Amino acid sequence: MNIFVLSSRALASNVSWDPVFELENIVVRTCNAQLLVPSARDVIQWSSTLYPLVGRIVRKVVKSTTGVYNLPLLPQLSDKPNVLLIIGLAGANLELLSSIPKWRERFDVVIAYIFDSWAPEIYSKNVYHLDHLFVALPEIIDELKKRFGIPVSLIPFAADVLDQGSCQLKRSIDLTSFGRIPSQYDTVFLNKFNQPGSEQIYFKSTPRTAEKFPKLPYEMRRDEPDTRLLFHILRHSKLTLAFDTLYPGMRRFPYSFITLRWFYGTATGGAVVGKRPTTPLMDELMNWEDATIELPDDPQKSVEFINELLQDEVRLNSIYKRNYVESLARHDWRHRIQSMLEAVKIPLPQGLLEELSQMKMIHEKMVSRF
C-alpha cells in the first residue's frame, strides 16, 4: 500500500491552514506517506495582483492551457494499491487534484477530508470523481451525497493529543482565548484581568498575517512553530474560552459546529468555558463531566463566575486529568486517520498501529491512577 498526501502548503500560510498541515504531517509520519506539494505557476501568482476581473480571465486562460499548478516531481507509483489523500479547508480546494495529470487514472483510491464542508456550490468538479469524501459536519452529509453521488462520511475534528496533550496541574495562565470570541466578553476580560494590580492573566492569541503564495518553503516558515507555541500556551492555561458558532457576536455560520478549539482545549487539559455548541454531535463526542462549563449570558457576571472557578482548585485539577484522558481515548487525530482508512478498507500502516497502541497504554496508565 502506497499513500500520498496532496498538500496546499506551498499556496497559503495562515492560522486557518495550520491544523490542516499539522494533520498532513501526522499522516505522513504514521502512514509512511509521500507528501506532494504543488506550487502555483508564476503567471498565476502575478495574476493575483491584478484587478479581480482581469485576474479571473488570466487564470481561466492558464487553466485551459498549461494548467494552474506546477508539480515537477510526479509520484512514483508501483503495482501496489496507490492511495491519494487531500485535506482542504473548503470544497474549492479540491481543484488542487488537477495538479496531477490524469490523477483519477493514476490512483486506485482517492479520498478527501474537507474542514469547512458546507456550501456545496463552491466545490471543485473534481469531487464527483472521489472514492470517498469525509467532512466534519454531520448536517451537510445527506445534501452532499445527493448532490455529488459519492460516499460521504463524518470525521469530526480532533487534536494531536499524543504529542501535544497534557494534564499538568501547574498552570500559570488563568484564561486563554484564541480565534474568534464575542467582543463583549473579550472586552470585559481585558478590562478586568489585564490591569495593574490584577492577579489574573487573560492571554489573547493574535494570529499572524496571512500569506498567499508564501515565499519561503513550509519548513522555513512560522507555521509549525506557531502551532507548537499555541499548544504550549494551552498546556499552561487553567481556562480556555470557546463559544458556539451560532452564539450572538460570533462569525456567521450556517450550523452549530464543533470547531477545533474545543478539541485543542480538552486535549491540553484546561477547563473549556464559554457557550457549548448546540449540535447533537456535541453530546455524543464530549459527554463527560465538566467537558465544558457554561458562562453566564451577562459578560460582567462571567468575570465573577471565572474568578470563583479559578479558586476551586480541586475541581480544576480533576478537569485537567479528565479532559486529557478522554481526549486520548477518543479525540486524537490518529483515531480519525484510522476511521478514514477503515472506511475505504485500507489496511492500517504499522506506524499508525504503533502510535495507537502507545496512546492506549498511556490512557490505561492514566485511568488506573484515578
Side-chain angles (χ1 to χ4, degrees), residues 20-39:
V20 174
F21 303 152
E22 176 198 26
L23 175 55
E24 290 176 350
N25 291 339
I26 296 173
V27 173
V28 168
R29 188 181 67 253
T30 61
C31 300
N32 193 29
Q34 181 178 335
L35 193 65
L36 306 176
V37 186
S39 59

Side-chain angles (χ1 to χ4, degrees), residues 5 27 34 78 103 132 156 170-171 195 218 245 256 304 324 331 348 366 368:
V5 177
V27 173
Q34 181 178 335
S78 70
W103 61 272
H132 211 115
K170 186 177 180 181
R171 294 172 181 252
Q195 299 295 331
Y218 175 79
T245 51
S256 175
E304 302 167 11
Y324 174 61
H331 299 316
L348 300 186
M366 290 294 303
S368 66

Side-chain angles (χ1 to χ4, degrees), residues 24-295:
E24 290 176 350
N25 291 339
I26 296 173
V27 173
V28 168
R29 188 181 67 253
T30 61
C31 300
N32 193 29
Q34 181 178 335
L35 193 65
L36 306 176
V37 186
S39 59
R41 294 189 183 278
D42 291 343
V43 66
I44 292 296
Q45 299 186 40
W46 167 75
S47 70
S48 67
T49 66
L50 304 176
Y51 287 110
L53 177 59
V54 178
R56 285 196 295 269
I57 293 173
V58 171
R59 183 182 177 90
K60 186 175 181 180
V61 171
V62 174
K63 183 178 178 180
S64 63
T65 54
T66 62
V68 173
Y69 305 104
N70 180 35
L71 184 61
L73 296 176
L74 293 176
Q76 296 294 318
L77 305 182
S78 70
D79 56 356
K80 297 180 181 179
N82 296 290
V83 180
L84 180 63
L85 166 65
I86 178 172
I87 307 170
L89 278 182
N93 299 133
L94 293 175
E95 182 61 27
L96 190 64
L97 287 164
S98 301
S99 65
I100 304 176
K102 299 182 179 180
W103 61 272
R104 183 60 273 188
E105 291 86 349
R106 283 175 172 267
F107 293 92
D108 302 289
V109 179
V110 183
I111 59 178
Y113 181 35
I114 300 299
F115 276 28
D116 295 347
S117 51
W118 54 89
E121 66 277 4
I122 72 169
Y123 276 65
S124 163
K125 292 182 180 179
N126 289 332
V127 69
Y128 291 98
H129 305 291
L130 294 176
D131 292 295
H132 211 115
L133 173 64
F134 299 98
V135 298
L137 188 68
E139 289 82 357
I140 197 69
I141 288 178
D142 288 343
E143 182 179 356
L144 295 176
K145 285 181 178 178
K146 183 178 180 180
R147 185 164 185 143
F148 301 134
I150 61 173
V152 183
S153 299
L154 174 69
I155 296 291
F157 288 147
D160 185 0
V161 190
L162 179 61
D163 290 337
Q164 303 290 355
S166 173
C167 60
Q168 65 189 50
L169 302 183
K170 186 177 180 181
R171 294 172 181 252
S172 53
I173 302 173
D174 297 286
L175 181 64
T176 291
S177 152
F178 67 101
R180 297 177 180 86
I181 69 165
S183 60
Q184 61 269 30
Y185 286 89
D186 180 56
T187 299
V188 296
F189 296 149
L190 282 171
N191 291 341
K192 180 64 178 180
F193 297 141
N194 293 356
Q195 299 295 331
S198 172
E199 295 182 358
Q200 281 81 35
I201 298 174
Y202 169 47
F203 177 83
K204 181 179 181 180
S205 176
T206 303
R208 68 180 184 276
T209 303
E211 188 178 3
K212 189 175 183 180
F213 307 126
K215 297 178 177 60
L216 294 175
Y218 175 79
E219 294 76 14
M220 299 176 64
R221 302 197 309 248
R222 287 179 50 190
D223 304 45
E224 284 191 82
D226 277 5
T227 297
R228 290 198 300 268
L229 177 59
L230 173 60
F231 275 113
H232 194 56
I233 289 168
L234 293 176
R235 286 191 294 268
H236 286 269
S237 300
K238 300 173 185 176
L239 312 178
T240 301
L241 289 168
F243 286 78
D244 185 13
T245 51
L246 297 184
Y247 192 77
M250 292 292 287
R251 166 191 166 193
R252 292 186 63 184
F253 275 76
Y255 304 95
S256 175
F257 191 29
I258 312 175
T259 56
L260 281 157
R261 76 190 69 188
W262 298 92
F263 298 98
Y264 280 25
T266 54
T268 47
V272 183
V273 298
K275 292 296 182 180
R276 183 180 174 90
T278 53
T279 171
L281 185 63
M282 189 68 177
D283 293 332
E284 177 184 336
L285 297 183
M286 296 190 176
N287 55 1
W288 62 87
E289 181 183 358
D290 278 340
T292 65
I293 299 174
E294 291 292 291
L295 288 179

